[in-house]
Amino acid sequence: MRHTKTWMLALLISGGIAVPAAAQEAQRVISVGGSITEIVYELGAGDRLVAVDTTSSYPPQADDLPDVGYMRQLSAEPILALEPDLLLLVEDAGPPATIEQLRAAGVAIVTLPDQPTLDGVRQKVRQVAAALDLVEDGEGLVTGIEAAQQDVAAKLADLPDRPSVLFLLSVGTGAPLAAGRETSAAGIIEMAGGRNALADFSGFRPLSPEAAAATRAEVVLVTERTLERFGGRDALLARPELAASPAATTGRLVAMDGLLLLGFGPRTPQAVAELAEALHPEIGEVR
């Protein structure tokens, strides 16, 4: 058993997955990134967490832990006060000056990838597992996620059509941001049998009424928080950006939990199934 474990760890390292030696026995772990926190709990290591960030909203036990703030606005002092021996960071956490300050203070830091694909989920799980010295448990979790996703994908193999889906996100009081290529929203839409309505740019951009009209979106997809910020279903579909769209005309709006939908963690097969059921009501239950 020990030989297998050592071989798998060596394989991860040779594949470019760096695991700081000082982190392998970590018992005071801080997780920054909702999907990272989910993976830690799925690996049975939730009792090693001493804090999480504000995006870590699942599982419910995470709510009982100290909160170190939003992942892109971290401060070194409250993190150091918790005396962590390992900090697990999603790759766009920051700011960089804070991360450097934490490194200089001697905190072991593992930065995790966040690619919006099933392969990205595999890589993220394996790196978290390696950092926690739970390599075999990580392989078991990967196997379970792959099996669940294969079941969902098999049920979506013969979809009659792929509707055009416009994902909108609220980050303030201004116009909603729309998701283009290479975003987590685009990734989950494709996996669930839809077409991202905005494929001519990458990342997120404010959505103008003209750009929205050009998409001819058949479905509007939002997070539950975004729907709340825009005043509910009727208010959102009545906005100038959307009022003339086929989605507004037919009332096709889907709202889902943001971390489930965009996290690309252990629950991604569940997110794909839920979104597929909403996009393709004609095929019935996918889960």
Side-chain angles (χ1 to χ4, degrees):
M1 183 69 74
R2 180 66 183 173
H3 174 76
T4 301
K5 193 174 187 178
T6 302
W7 177 83
M8 295 178 74
L9 182 58
L11 181 63
L12 289 170
I13 294 173
S14 67
I17 300 176
V19 183
Q24 292 179 14
E25 301 297 335
Q27 296 297 320
R28 293 187 60 79
V29 180
I30 294 178
S31 173
V32 175
S35 62
I36 306 300
T37 301
E38 286 192 39
I39 293 168
V40 173
Y41 276 102
E42 286 291 329
L43 292 172
D47 60 342
R48 293 160 67 177
L49 288 172
V50 295
V52 297
D53 73 319
T54 55
T55 69
S56 298
S57 58
Y58 187 89
Q61 301 95 297
D63 290 339
D64 297 330
L65 293 171
D67 183 350
V68 296
Y70 180 55
M71 54 186 273
R72 295 190 178 91
Q73 298 173 341
L74 300 173
S75 297
E77 290 78 8
I79 292 175
L80 291 173
L82 292 163
E83 301 180 348
D85 51 14
L86 175 62
L87 182 58
L88 299 174
L89 291 177
V90 71
E91 62 183 355
D92 53 353
T98 295
I99 307 305
E100 286 307 310
Q101 190 176 352
L102 292 167
R103 289 188 195 280
V107 177
I109 297 175
V110 174
T111 302
L112 289 312
D114 196 23
Q115 299 302 312
T117 62
L118 187 60
D119 189 54
V121 174
R122 293 189 195 98
Q123 187 178 7
K124 198 173 352 182
V125 170
R126 285 173 170 145
Q127 282 196 255
V128 172
L132 297 173
D133 199 21
L134 294 169
V135 172
E136 292 179 58
D137 299 273
E139 288 303 310
L141 180 55
V142 167
T143 299
I145 293 170
E146 289 176 332
Q149 180 55 31
Q150 287 170 3
D151 286 344
V152 173
K155 294 173 181 174
L156 301 179
D158 299 316
L159 291 172
D161 60 65
R162 292 180 174 266
S164 172
V165 182
L166 176 62
F167 177 80
L168 298 178
L169 180 68
S170 169
V171 293
T173 58
L177 299 178
R181 302 187 313 274
E182 301 166 11
T183 61
S184 52
I188 203 76
I189 289 169
E190 293 292 331
M191 292 173 74
R195 292 181 292 110
N196 187 26
L198 291 170
D200 57 346
F201 65 86
S202 60
F204 286 85
R205 290 183 182 179
L207 182 68
S208 68
E210 295 77 15
T215 69
R216 301 293 297 164
E218 297 168 86
V219 181
V220 172
L221 174 65
V222 294
T223 66
E224 292 169 347
R225 181 171 297 182
T226 292
L227 185 63
E228 180 180 351
R229 286 182 175 176
F230 282 113
R233 172 182 296 270
D234 292 342
L236 179 57
L237 291 177
R239 288 182 61 88
E241 299 93 339
L242 300 176
S245 69
T249 302
T250 59
R252 294 197 69 184
L253 184 146
V254 179
M256 292 179 60
D257 174 82
L259 180 56
L260 171 64
L261 180 68
L262 305 176
F264 278 85
R267 293 185 296 157
T268 289
Q270 177 188 340
V272 172
E274 288 189 19
L275 181 56
E277 289 174 5
L279 297 182
H280 304 281
E282 71 279 6
I283 64 175
E285 187 172 305
V286 175
R287 288 164 286 180

PDB file of all heavy atoms in Angstrom, residues 231-258:
ATOM      1  N   GLY A 231     -33.809  42.087  -8.870  1.00  0.00           N
ATOM      2  CA  GLY A 231     -35.205  42.235  -8.496  1.00  0.00           C
ATOM      3  C   GLY A 231     -36.129  41.121  -8.907  1.00  0.00           C
ATOM      4  O   GLY A 231     -37.355  41.307  -8.923  1.00  0.00           O
ATOM      5  N   GLY A 232     -35.584  39.966  -9.247  1.00  0.00           N
ATOM      6  CA  GLY A 232     -36.431  38.825  -9.573  1.00  0.00           C
ATOM      7  C   GLY A 232     -36.587  38.595 -11.071  1.00  0.00           C
ATOM      8  O   GLY A 232     -36.096  39.368 -11.906  1.00  0.00           O
ATOM      9  N   ARG A 233     -37.285  37.516 -11.384  1.00  0.00           N
ATOM     10  CA  ARG A 233     -37.407  37.054 -12.775  1.00  0.00           C
ATOM     11  C   ARG A 233     -38.022  38.111 -13.700  1.00  0.00           C
ATOM     12  O   ARG A 233     -37.460  38.427 -14.752  1.00  0.00           O
ATOM     13  CB  ARG A 233     -38.256  35.783 -12.779  1.00  0.00           C
ATOM     14  CG  ARG A 233     -38.665  35.264 -14.153  1.00  0.00           C
ATOM     15  CD  ARG A 233     -39.543  34.036 -13.997  1.00  0.00           C
ATOM     16  NE  ARG A 233     -38.793  32.953 -13.377  1.00  0.00           N
ATOM     17  CZ  ARG A 233     -38.104  32.054 -14.068  1.00  0.00           C
ATOM     18  NH1 ARG A 233     -38.091  32.104 -15.389  1.00  0.00           N
ATOM     19  NH2 ARG A 233     -37.446  31.091 -13.450  1.00  0.00           N
ATOM     20  N   ASP A 234     -39.179  38.647 -13.323  1.00  0.00           N
ATOM     21  CA  ASP A 234     -39.869  39.578 -14.214  1.00  0.00           C
ATOM     22  C   ASP A 234     -39.058  40.845 -14.430  1.00  0.00           C
ATOM     23  O   ASP A 234     -38.982  41.374 -15.559  1.00  0.00           O
ATOM     24  CB  ASP A 234     -41.252  39.920 -13.635  1.00  0.00           C
ATOM     25  CG  ASP A 234     -42.187  38.719 -13.658  1.00  0.00           C
ATOM     26  OD1 ASP A 234     -41.909  37.759 -14.398  1.00  0.00           O
ATOM     27  OD2 ASP A 234     -43.195  38.751 -12.916  1.00  0.00           O
ATOM     28  N   ALA A 235     -38.451  41.357 -13.354  1.00  0.00           N
ATOM     29  CA  ALA A 235     -37.660  42.587 -13.480  1.00  0.00           C
ATOM     30  C   ALA A 235     -36.439  42.372 -14.353  1.00  0.00           C
ATOM     31  O   ALA A 235     -36.071  43.248 -15.163  1.00  0.00           O
ATOM     32  CB  ALA A 235     -37.248  43.073 -12.089  1.00  0.00           C
ATOM     33  N   LEU A 236     -35.803  41.217 -14.219  1.00  0.00           N
ATOM     34  CA  LEU A 236     -34.598  40.962 -15.024  1.00  0.00           C
ATOM     35  C   LEU A 236     -34.937  40.832 -16.506  1.00  0.00           C
ATOM     36  O   LEU A 236     -34.285  41.438 -17.367  1.00  0.00           O
ATOM     37  CB  LEU A 236     -33.908  39.691 -14.520  1.00  0.00           C
ATOM     38  CG  LEU A 236     -32.644  39.272 -15.282  1.00  0.00           C
ATOM     39  CD1 LEU A 236     -31.619  40.393 -15.286  1.00  0.00           C
ATOM     40  CD2 LEU A 236     -32.051  38.013 -14.673  1.00  0.00           C
ATOM     41  N   LEU A 237     -35.967  40.068 -16.826  1.00  0.00           N
ATOM     42  CA  LEU A 237     -36.319  39.870 -18.237  1.00  0.00           C
ATOM     43  C   LEU A 237     -36.880  41.138 -18.882  1.00  0.00           C
ATOM     44  O   LEU A 237     -36.911  41.239 -20.117  1.00  0.00           O
ATOM     45  CB  LEU A 237     -37.325  38.724 -18.363  1.00  0.00           C
ATOM     46  CG  LEU A 237     -36.775  37.322 -18.041  1.00  0.00           C
ATOM     47  CD1 LEU A 237     -37.877  36.285 -18.140  1.00  0.00           C
ATOM     48  CD2 LEU A 237     -35.607  36.959 -18.965  1.00  0.00           C
ATOM     49  N   ALA A 238     -37.306  42.088 -18.056  1.00  0.00           N
ATOM     50  CA  ALA A 238     -37.837  43.349 -18.599  1.00  0.00           C
ATOM     51  C   ALA A 238     -36.750  44.391 -18.840  1.00  0.00           C
ATOM     52  O   ALA A 238     -37.035  45.466 -19.391  1.00  0.00           O
ATOM     53  CB  ALA A 238     -38.882  43.920 -17.637  1.00  0.00           C
ATOM     54  N   ARG A 239     -35.515  44.100 -18.419  1.00  0.00           N
ATOM     55  CA  ARG A 239     -34.427  45.066 -18.636  1.00  0.00           C
ATOM     56  C   ARG A 239     -34.256  45.343 -20.130  1.00  0.00           C
ATOM     57  O   ARG A 239     -34.514  44.472 -20.976  1.00  0.00           O
ATOM     58  CB  ARG A 239     -33.122  44.521 -18.055  1.00  0.00           C
ATOM     59  CG  ARG A 239     -33.066  44.507 -16.529  1.00  0.00           C
ATOM     60  CD  ARG A 239     -31.713  44.002 -16.071  1.00  0.00           C
ATOM     61  NE  ARG A 239     -30.629  44.853 -16.521  1.00  0.00           N
ATOM     62  CZ  ARG A 239     -30.177  45.909 -15.848  1.00  0.00           C
ATOM     63  NH1 ARG A 239     -30.704  46.220 -14.676  1.00  0.00           N
ATOM     64  NH2 ARG A 239     -29.192  46.644 -16.322  1.00  0.00           N
ATOM     65  N   PRO A 240     -33.765  46.543 -20.480  1.00  0.00           N
ATOM     66  CA  PRO A 240     -33.606  46.889 -21.906  1.00  0.00           C
ATOM     67  C   PRO A 240     -32.701  45.910 -22.656  1.00  0.00           C
ATOM     68  O   PRO A 240     -32.919  45.668 -23.854  1.00  0.00           O
ATOM     69  CB  PRO A 240     -32.969  48.284 -21.845  1.00  0.00           C
ATOM     70  CG  PRO A 240     -33.352  48.839 -20.518  1.00  0.00           C
ATOM     71  CD  PRO A 240     -33.449  47.677 -19.592  1.00  0.00           C
ATOM     72  N   GLU A 241     -31.703  45.339 -21.927  1.00  0.00           N
ATOM     73  CA  GLU A 241     -30.785  44.410 -22.611  1.00  0.00           C
ATOM     74  C   GLU A 241     -31.492  43.128 -23.048  1.00  0.00           C
ATOM     75  O   GLU A 241     -31.026  42.432 -23.958  1.00  0.00           O
ATOM     76  CB  GLU A 241     -29.617  44.030 -21.687  1.00  0.00           C
ATOM     77  CG  GLU A 241     -28.764  45.187 -21.242  1.00  0.00           C
ATOM     78  CD  GLU A 241     -29.240  45.749 -19.905  1.00  0.00           C
ATOM     79  OE1 GLU A 241     -30.415  45.506 -19.549  1.00  0.00           O
ATOM     80  OE2 GLU A 241     -28.443  46.445 -19.239  1.00  0.00           O
ATOM     81  N   LEU A 242     -32.596  42.792 -22.383  1.00  0.00           N
ATOM     82  CA  LEU A 242     -33.198  41.473 -22.597  1.00  0.00           C
ATOM     83  C   LEU A 242     -34.623  41.493 -23.133  1.00  0.00           C
ATOM     84  O   LEU A 242     -35.102  40.476 -23.643  1.00  0.00           O
ATOM     85  CB  LEU A 242     -33.207  40.687 -21.273  1.00  0.00           C
ATOM     86  CG  LEU A 242     -31.846  40.430 -20.618  1.00  0.00           C
ATOM     87  CD1 LEU A 242     -32.038  39.741 -19.277  1.00  0.00           C
ATOM     88  CD2 LEU A 242     -30.982  39.579 -21.537  1.00  0.00           C
ATOM     89  N   ALA A 243     -35.302  42.612 -23.015  1.00  0.00           N
ATOM     90  CA  ALA A 243     -36.755  42.636 -23.257  1.00  0.00           C
ATOM     91  C   ALA A 243     -37.144  42.112 -24.640  1.00  0.00           C
ATOM     92  O   ALA A 243     -38.224  41.507 -24.785  1.00  0.00           O
ATOM     93  CB  ALA A 243     -37.281  44.062 -23.054  1.00  0.00           C
ATOM     94  N   ALA A 244     -36.278  42.323 -25.649  1.00  0.00           N
ATOM     95  CA  ALA A 244     -36.634  41.901 -27.010  1.00  0.00           C
ATOM     96  C   ALA A 244     -36.099  40.515 -27.370  1.00  0.00           C
ATOM     97  O   ALA A 244     -36.285  40.052 -28.499  1.00  0.00           O
ATOM     98  CB  ALA A 244     -36.100  42.927 -28.018  1.00  0.00           C
ATOM     99  N   SER A 245     -35.461  39.863 -26.440  1.00  0.00           N
ATOM    100  CA  SER A 245     -34.843  38.568 -26.749  1.00  0.00           C
ATOM    101  C   SER A 245     -35.890  37.445 -26.775  1.00  0.00           C
ATOM    102  O   SER A 245     -36.933  37.540 -26.120  1.00  0.00           O
ATOM    103  CB  SER A 245     -33.779  38.237 -25.698  1.00  0.00           C
ATOM    104  OG  SER A 245     -34.391  37.962 -24.444  1.00  0.00           O
ATOM    105  N   PRO A 246     -35.627  36.370 -27.517  1.00  0.00           N
ATOM    106  CA  PRO A 246     -36.527  35.214 -27.462  1.00  0.00           C
ATOM    107  C   PRO A 246     -36.685  34.675 -26.040  1.00  0.00           C
ATOM    108  O   PRO A 246     -37.765  34.207 -25.670  1.00  0.00           O
ATOM    109  CB  PRO A 246     -35.812  34.199 -28.373  1.00  0.00           C
ATOM    110  CG  PRO A 246     -35.026  35.035 -29.329  1.00  0.00           C
ATOM    111  CD  PRO A 246     -34.560  36.212 -28.526  1.00  0.00           C
ATOM    112  N   ALA A 247     -35.619  34.749 -25.232  1.00  0.00           N
ATOM    113  CA  ALA A 247     -35.712  34.256 -23.859  1.00  0.00           C
ATOM    114  C   ALA A 247     -36.752  35.034 -23.058  1.00  0.00           C
ATOM    115  O   ALA A 247     -37.525  34.450 -22.292  1.00  0.00           O
ATOM    116  CB  ALA A 247     -34.339  34.360 -23.188  1.00  0.00           C
ATOM    117  N   ALA A 248     -36.764  36.370 -23.233  1.00  0.00           N
ATOM    118  CA  ALA A 248     -37.748  37.182 -22.513  1.00  0.00           C
ATOM    119  C   ALA A 248     -39.155  36.908 -23.022  1.00  0.00           C
ATOM    120  O   ALA A 248     -40.118  36.853 -22.245  1.00  0.00           O
ATOM    121  CB  ALA A 248     -37.397  38.656 -22.658  1.00  0.00           C
ATOM    122  N   THR A 249     -39.282  36.735 -24.325  1.00  0.00           N
ATOM    123  CA  THR A 249     -40.598  36.484 -24.911  1.00  0.00           C
ATOM    124  C   THR A 249     -41.215  35.189 -24.390  1.00  0.00           C
ATOM    125  O   THR A 249     -42.423  35.121 -24.110  1.00  0.00           O
ATOM    126  CB  THR A 249     -40.481  36.414 -26.448  1.00  0.00           C
ATOM    127  OG1 THR A 249     -39.920  37.640 -26.922  1.00  0.00           O
ATOM    128  CG2 THR A 249     -41.836  36.175 -27.090  1.00  0.00           C
ATOM    129  N   THR A 250     -40.380  34.164 -24.258  1.00  0.00           N
ATOM    130  CA  THR A 250     -40.885  32.870 -23.802  1.00  0.00           C
ATOM    131  C   THR A 250     -40.736  32.671 -22.298  1.00  0.00           C
ATOM    132  O   THR A 250     -41.199  31.659 -21.760  1.00  0.00           O
ATOM    133  CB  THR A 250     -40.128  31.735 -24.519  1.00  0.00           C
ATOM    134  OG1 THR A 250     -38.722  31.856 -24.233  1.00  0.00           O
ATOM    135  CG2 THR A 250     -40.344  31.805 -26.024  1.00  0.00           C
ATOM    136  N   GLY A 251     -40.060  33.609 -21.631  1.00  0.00           N
ATOM    137  CA  GLY A 251     -39.876  33.500 -20.177  1.00  0.00           C
ATOM    138  C   GLY A 251     -38.896  32.440 -19.753  1.00  0.00           C
ATOM    139  O   GLY A 251     -38.958  31.943 -18.628  1.00  0.00           O
ATOM    140  N   ARG A 252     -37.948  32.093 -20.615  1.00  0.00           N
ATOM    141  CA  ARG A 252     -36.988  31.034 -20.283  1.00  0.00           C
ATOM    142  C   ARG A 252     -35.788  31.632 -19.546  1.00  0.00           C
ATOM    143  O   ARG A 252     -34.847  32.163 -20.144  1.00  0.00           O
ATOM    144  CB  ARG A 252     -36.523  30.289 -21.532  1.00  0.00           C
ATOM    145  CG  ARG A 252     -37.626  29.507 -22.216  1.00  0.00           C
ATOM    146  CD  ARG A 252     -37.037  28.488 -23.177  1.00  0.00           C
ATOM    147  NE  ARG A 252     -36.355  27.408 -22.440  1.00  0.00           N
ATOM    148  CZ  ARG A 252     -35.679  26.431 -23.046  1.00  0.00           C
ATOM    149  NH1 ARG A 252     -35.574  26.425 -24.368  1.00  0.00           N
ATOM    150  NH2 ARG A 252     -35.096  25.483 -22.325  1.00  0.00           N
ATOM    151  N   LEU A 253     -35.845  31.597 -18.244  1.00  0.00           N
ATOM    152  CA  LEU A 253     -34.770  32.059 -17.378  1.00  0.00           C
ATOM    153  C   LEU A 253     -34.471  30.965 -16.358  1.00  0.00           C
ATOM    154  O   LEU A 253     -35.388  30.420 -15.734  1.00  0.00           O
ATOM    155  CB  LEU A 253     -35.156  33.358 -16.658  1.00  0.00           C
ATOM    156  CG  LEU A 253     -34.070  33.992 -15.780  1.00  0.00           C
ATOM    157  CD1 LEU A 253     -34.159  35.513 -15.815  1.00  0.00           C
ATOM    158  CD2 LEU A 253     -34.186  33.504 -14.325  1.00  0.00           C
ATOM    159  N   VAL A 254     -33.194  30.643 -16.212  1.00  0.00           N
ATOM    160  CA  VAL A 254     -32.757  29.603 -15.274  1.00  0.00           C
ATOM    161  C   VAL A 254     -31.853  30.253 -14.236  1.00  0.00           C
ATOM    162  O   VAL A 254     -30.885  30.938 -14.596  1.00  0.00           O
ATOM    163  CB  VAL A 254     -31.992  28.479 -16.000  1.00  0.00           C
ATOM    164  CG1 VAL A 254     -31.529  27.427 -15.000  1.00  0.00           C
ATOM    165  CG2 VAL A 254     -32.860  27.853 -17.084  1.00  0.00           C
ATOM    166  N   ALA A 255     -32.152  30.054 -12.959  1.00  0.00           N
ATOM    167  CA  ALA A 255     -31.312  30.555 -11.872  1.00  0.00           C
ATOM    168  C   ALA A 255     -30.808  29.374 -11.052  1.00  0.00           C
ATOM    169  O   ALA A 255     -31.594  28.500 -10.682  1.00  0.00           O
ATOM    170  CB  ALA A 255     -32.093  31.513 -10.980  1.00  0.00           C
ATOM    171  N   MET A 256     -29.507  29.353 -10.787  1.00  0.00           N
ATOM    172  CA  MET A 256     -28.907  28.258 -10.018  1.00  0.00           C
ATOM    173  C   MET A 256     -27.942  28.805  -8.977  1.00  0.00           C
ATOM    174  O   MET A 256     -27.446  29.930  -9.101  1.00  0.00           O
ATOM    175  CB  MET A 256     -28.159  27.287 -10.957  1.00  0.00           C
ATOM    176  CG  MET A 256     -29.069  26.511 -11.887  1.00  0.00           C
ATOM    177  SD  MET A 256     -28.165  25.392 -13.005  1.00  0.00           S
ATOM    178  CE  MET A 256     -27.324  24.307 -11.849  1.00  0.00           C
ATOM    179  N   ASP A 257     -27.647  27.993  -7.983  1.00  0.00           N
ATOM    180  CA  ASP A 257     -26.646  28.351  -6.982  1.00  0.00           C
ATOM    181  C   ASP A 257     -25.306  28.615  -7.679  1.00  0.00           C
ATOM    182  O   ASP A 257     -24.843  27.799  -8.491  1.00  0.00           O
ATOM    183  CB  ASP A 257     -26.500  27.212  -5.974  1.00  0.00           C
ATOM    184  CG  ASP A 257     -25.381  27.461  -4.992  1.00  0.00           C
ATOM    185  OD1 ASP A 257     -25.617  28.196  -4.019  1.00  0.00           O
ATOM    186  OD2 ASP A 257     -24.262  26.935  -5.212  1.00  0.00           O
ATOM    187  N   GLY A 258     -24.672  29.743  -7.353  1.00  0.00           N
ATOM    188  CA  GLY A 258     -23.477  30.157  -8.067  1.00  0.00           C
ATOM    189  C   GLY A 258     -22.305  29.205  -7.910  1.00  0.00           C
ATOM    190  O   GLY A 258     -21.612  28.883  -8.884  1.00  0.00           O
TER     191      GLY A 258
END
